[in-house]
Every structure is written in structure tokens, then in C-alpha cells.
Amino acid sequence: VVLSVGNAFISEWLSSYYAEDIRNALRLSQITESFTLTVDPLSASSNGHDKPASTEVSAPANPTSNNHQYFLQHSDVVLNSKYTFDNFVAGPSNQLAHAAAMAVADAPAGSYNPLFLHGAVGLGKTHLLQAICHKAMQSGRAMNVLYLSSETFVNQFISAIGDGELDRFRFKYRNVDILLIDDIHLLANKERTQDEFFHTFNALYNAGRQIVLSSDSPPAEIPTLKDRLISRFKWGLVAEIATPGYETRLAILRRKAEARGIEVPEEVLGFLAENIDTNIRELEGAITKVVGYAQLIHKPIDIDL
């Protein structure tokens, strides 16, 4: 598709800020999503001069850049650069969830659709969801990734009803390649929002788009969740992230210490891993506190400290 504009400024502006919106519009034609901007000054003026040769300016074609631009414009989550697969410590407690998340990032809507991750607070659900975003957007393929919290979905749905913009709301959520929603259990007791998400789920699934959900409990244990949603959440893979065992906790502590460039004695790491068995955030907080305290009082890190 060739779009004619009046000057180079307009061409550059469209290329920089609206390229992905134009591609999304063209994608609906199911014919093409590629376009070229042609600068034709006489299309915007009638100054009587001879028509100069038009200059073609191609829109940016870097998929990774476009993927990140789309994510920034539409998602309500700021990705943490540390939440990647390389920084995730896999062990028996999370091995299935980790492997499934990597498979989803490599081949969206392949073997595990939907992917439903559940587990207690601080065990790595958000880390895996963000790792999927990082890897999918850097795959070299055009990938519209939308990641948000369940609370945002609910609030935007309510606003769309009040503003009479349900069509725009539905277009946003049903025209993505990967939809990731954190804390889906917050849909409990929200019947009308559950109905809307049911239809969004069906639209994405039938179109071959990937759905990734996280929750603090498995689908059947989410209170007041409608049976038809529970059934659909089980269509793909439901993977639990359990509390990490001692070996995994020790590996996590080693990784956190290395990330800070601090050498922590093995006996100290073992002491922390043995005494903190709740979740990963507690482990990270512990290593941060020990390292910070040692630096403040200028003492070596040891068991006594």
C-alpha cells in the first residue's frame, strides 16, 4: 500500500509514531500489512511549480523496535530488565512452568494455549510472564504483545461501558498475538467482566493467538469463577509454581549475590537458604539486607554478622 503525503516532516512523523497503527489497520484487510510513504508536495499545495520527483520514505521495518513500541503504547506494565529466562533459576518446584513459558515464547499458540500459571506470592509467576514478553518481542518476528493486570482489564471494561466505547475496548484486546494477564483470580465476583473475558478468550483462541494467565490458585479454586471459564482455563496447560526446595533456594541466593558483584561465603548462603523457606522475594530481601548491613558497618560477611 502506498500512502502519499505532503512533505518529509509528515512522512517522518507517521513513520516514527503511527507505523504500527497503520500496520494494524492494514492487517485487518488480510491482504498486506506493508506500506510505503511517498512524499508528493503538489498533493498538498498548488504553487504552480513543476512537480518534483517524489521521494519514497519507507516506514521502519525493524520488528523488535515495532514490538517494543506497541508494548509501550498499550500495556500498563513496565518490564523489568532482570526478569528474563536467563535470570530465572529453575528447579523441581518450577521446572514445568519454566519449560512451558519458554515454549510459549518460542512458538506462541503452539502446544500450551492457554498457559495458566498458579502459585503463592513471590514464587516467580510475574518473572515468567515478563520473560515471555522479553523473548517474544525480541524474536525477530512482528509480535503484538499485550500484558496487564486483571485489575486494569476490569477498570478499562467499566470505563468502556460508561463511555460507550466497547467496540474500541474489544478491538484492543482481541487483535493481539499474545495476551498476558496477571492475577486473573481478581475476576472473582465480577460476573459481567467474566462474561466479557469469556468472549475475548474465545476470540483469541479461535484466531490462534496465545493466552497466558497467572493466579494465586488453580482455576477450580477461584471463588465464583464461572464454570465455562474454568473449563477454558484448563484447555491448555495448568502449571503450579511451588515453594522452592533448599537446593533451589541456595542457587537463587548465589545468583542474587553474583548479580550484585558481592562474594558471599558458602556457609552464609547455606544458612540463609536453610532459614528462609517462604518465597523468592524473602530470599532476595535477605541477601540485600545482609550485604547492605555489612557495607554500612564495614564488617566482613560471615555467620556471626
Side-chain angles (χ1 to χ4, degrees):
V1 172
V2 178
L3 302 176
S4 179
V5 298
N7 57 55
F9 172 78
I10 295 175
S11 176
E12 292 171 7
W13 186 271
L14 290 174
S15 297
S16 298
Y17 297 103
Y18 290 96
E20 193 58 33
D21 289 333
I22 295 172
R23 283 198 186 89
N24 286 336
L26 293 175
R27 192 175 291 130
L28 296 178
S29 71
Q30 298 183 337
I31 298 171
T32 182
E33 60 180 66
S34 63
F35 69 94
T36 299
L37 293 169
T38 299
V39 177
D40 181 4
L42 294 188
S43 70
S45 65
S46 55
N47 56 19
H49 295 146
D50 290 338
K51 181 178 179 179
S54 61
T55 304
E56 290 192 353
V57 181
S58 298
N62 183 339
T64 300
S65 176
N66 291 333
N67 292 345
H68 281 90
Q69 185 178 6
Y70 179 90
F71 187 91
L72 290 172
Q73 289 176 345
H74 296 88
S75 297
D76 73 335
V77 176
V78 177
L79 292 181
N80 188 328
S81 60
K82 297 178 182 177
Y83 284 178
T84 64
F85 287 119
D86 289 339
N87 291 330
F88 190 87
V89 179
S93 60
N94 57 30
Q95 202 162 17
L96 176 61
H98 174 254
M102 290 190 68
V104 162
D106 287 333
S111 302
Y112 310 115
N113 194 25
L115 174 60
F116 190 102
L117 305 178
H118 69 92
V121 173
L123 296 182
K125 301 186 299 294
T126 298
H127 189 142
L128 285 179
L129 262 63
Q130 294 204 17
I132 291 173
C133 294
H134 282 298
K135 190 166 186 180
M137 290 193 295
Q138 294 169 2
S139 65
R141 306 188 302 271
M143 194 72 63
N144 287 345
V145 178
L146 181 60
Y147 177 23
L148 65 156
S149 65
S150 179
E151 182 181 13
T152 298
F153 183 88
V154 173
N155 292 339
Q156 290 186 358
F157 176 58
I158 294 171
S159 296
I161 294 174
D163 298 338
E165 294 187 342
L166 273 177
D167 287 341
R168 180 178 293 183
F169 173 87
R170 288 165 179 162
F171 180 85
K172 173 181 177 179
Y173 284 97
R174 301 180 189 183
N175 288 276
V176 296
D177 297 300
I178 305 179
L179 174 65
L180 305 98
I181 298 187
D182 228 340
D183 298 327
I184 197 67
H185 56 273
L186 295 179
L187 289 185
N189 302 314
K190 299 176 179 66
E191 290 192 10
R192 190 167 179 186
T193 309
Q194 288 187 34
D195 290 336
E196 182 63 29
F197 186 73
F198 171 80
H199 295 299
T200 296
F201 183 102
N202 286 342
L204 289 172
Y205 186 88
N206 293 332
R209 311 295 173 83
Q210 179 68 50
I211 304 162
V212 183
L213 308 170
S214 79
S215 170
D216 62 2
S217 56
E221 294 181 17
I222 299 175
T224 72
L225 189 66
K226 294 188 176 184
D227 289 341
R228 60 182 184 176
L229 275 179
I230 293 174
S231 172
R232 276 157 179 76
F233 291 170
K234 293 180 177 179
W235 278 358
L237 176 68
V238 176
E240 180 182 10
I241 302 179
T243 303
Y246 172 81
E247 292 80 5
T248 305
R249 297 198 300 272
L250 186 59
I252 291 170
L253 286 168
R254 284 199 195 104
R255 182 74 63 84
K256 299 297 182 184
E258 289 171 3
R260 287 168 172 76
I262 302 295
E263 195 170 320
V264 180
E266 194 68 19
E267 61 269 20
V268 173
L269 295 176
F271 177 82
L272 294 174
E274 187 175 345
N275 286 277
I276 300 174
D277 58 2
T278 47
N279 60 53
I280 296 167
R281 288 179 191 164
E282 293 275 353
L283 289 171
E284 187 167 9
I287 198 72
T288 299
K289 183 176 180 180
V290 168
V291 170
Y293 185 60
Q295 291 174 341
L296 284 171
I297 65 173
H298 306 290
K299 286 191 175 182
I301 298 173
D302 56 22
I303 292 291
D304 289 338
L305 178 121

